[in-house]
Amino acid sequence: MILTILENPIVRLYINLIGWALLGFILGKKLPASTSKYLGQFLYWIGVPLGIIAFMRGVDISGYIWISPIAGWVAILVGAIFARFWMELEISDERIKAIASGMVDPRHVKPDQPIPETAWTQPTQGSFLLAMMVGNTSYLGFPVVLSLIGPEYFLWAVLYNTLATSPGLHGIGYMISANYGNNPLAQRRKNPLQIIFGNPALWSFGFGFFFRHVPLPGLAENALRTSAWSIVTLAIIMIGIQLSQLGKLQKFSQALICLAIKMIVVPLVVGTGLMFFGVTGLPRLAIVLQMAMPPSIATVIYAIAYGLDKDLSVATVALGSVGLLMTIPMWLWLFAP
């Protein structure tokens, strides 16, 4: 009975996610703070690119696989629309309450003017949009897709991350951070295009594409695959380390609304829409799982660098990482073939 339960893919996934992340959380409290930085650099430059090459081995690339990054951009757009609409409703509600209470003279309030002491400052709006838009589609999304769907459709997840999430973060995310932050001059020396095309995951995808059918000795093939799965484990441990360093959680209500848009509304709307374009079954599930990932730790880094709302960014990353355990069964129930 126990062995049968342990053979269930979602049970194995939860054991790995919780177990390795918990180990990382404990290590994060014991190891120097720089550990996460160096581990992240290793995974960014070596680990994840190697994993992409390994899991692309023998993968068949069908014609409509390119809808994966397109769906990623649609998800960013749909999420931004929902987020913008919600923030406008909240700001309007605050303005009405402020006027009704006599805090603000309605004769001196313009329609687009924020009210004093608003909960939706510019930095907060920037963090809300950024967290809604950028999911953890590599360090967390890759293990989830590999565990629940398998290497056969891993490439769908890779394309989503490499051609949608990464350009979205360093392109649109850069503009949001610079326009909404209190420190818009921070790190503006870097060109977003240089960051996007300098991403090693993009280059490893190109290499893996041409390398995927090149025969290797059995020992080398096994070593490459073993290394790739070890990197997946290391990525989960790093997430635990990063969570241990986030700090105190605040702004729960705003974070929960953001996560509801990011992790439930957008995957449900876009995932259902994919059906009308002939994308169903496991390919659609791979895309939906990527859409439903919690906000990336990069949103906290951007919040610090550009003067956005760090408290909101921290809350969305931490709560979203825990909330993922509750939303995965829903997506399997709705979209698994």
Side-chain angles (χ1 to χ4, degrees), residues 256-270:
L256 290 176
I257 293 297
C258 178
L259 294 173
I261 296 173
K262 169 72 181 70
M263 299 178 65
I264 297 178
V265 175
V266 171
L268 185 60
V269 171
V270 182

Side-chain angles (χ1 to χ4, degrees), residues 204-279:
S204 66
F205 166 76
F207 181 80
F209 177 84
F210 294 104
F211 179 71
R212 71 188 192 282
H213 292 309
V214 175
L216 289 177
L219 184 62
E221 191 77 56
N222 291 334
L224 183 62
R225 186 57 61 94
T226 301
S227 299
W229 280 108
S230 300
I231 289 165
V232 169
T233 300
L234 201 58
I236 300 173
I237 292 174
M238 189 193 70
I239 291 173
I241 294 175
Q242 291 176 330
L243 289 175
S244 72
Q245 299 172 346
L246 285 179
K248 186 178 179 181
L249 296 184
Q250 301 181 48
K251 303 207 169 180
F252 281 90
S253 60
Q254 291 173 317
L256 290 176
I257 293 297
C258 178
L259 294 173
I261 296 173
K262 169 72 181 70
M263 299 178 65
I264 297 178
V265 175
V266 171
L268 185 60
V269 171
V270 182
T272 302
L274 288 172
M275 176 179 62
F276 298 100
F277 294 91
V279 182

Side-chain angles (χ1 to χ4, degrees), residues 39-53 200 204 231:
L39 181 56
Q41 289 178 342
F42 167 78
L43 289 172
Y44 180 79
W45 291 105
I46 300 175
V48 170
L50 180 62
I52 290 174
I53 293 171
S204 66
I231 289 165

Side-chain angles (χ1 to χ4, degrees), residues 165-220:
T165 301
S166 182
L169 170 64
H170 300 302
I172 299 177
Y174 168 87
M175 291 186 288
I176 288 175
S177 301
N179 289 331
Y180 284 87
N182 286 328
N183 188 18
L185 297 179
Q187 298 185 356
R188 296 191 74 171
R189 294 183 300 246
K190 291 187 177 181
N191 188 324
L193 290 178
Q194 291 178 333
I195 299 175
I196 293 170
F197 289 103
N199 187 346
L202 183 63
W203 295 99
S204 66
F205 166 76
F207 181 80
F209 177 84
F210 294 104
F211 179 71
R212 71 188 192 282
H213 292 309
V214 175
L216 289 177
L219 184 62

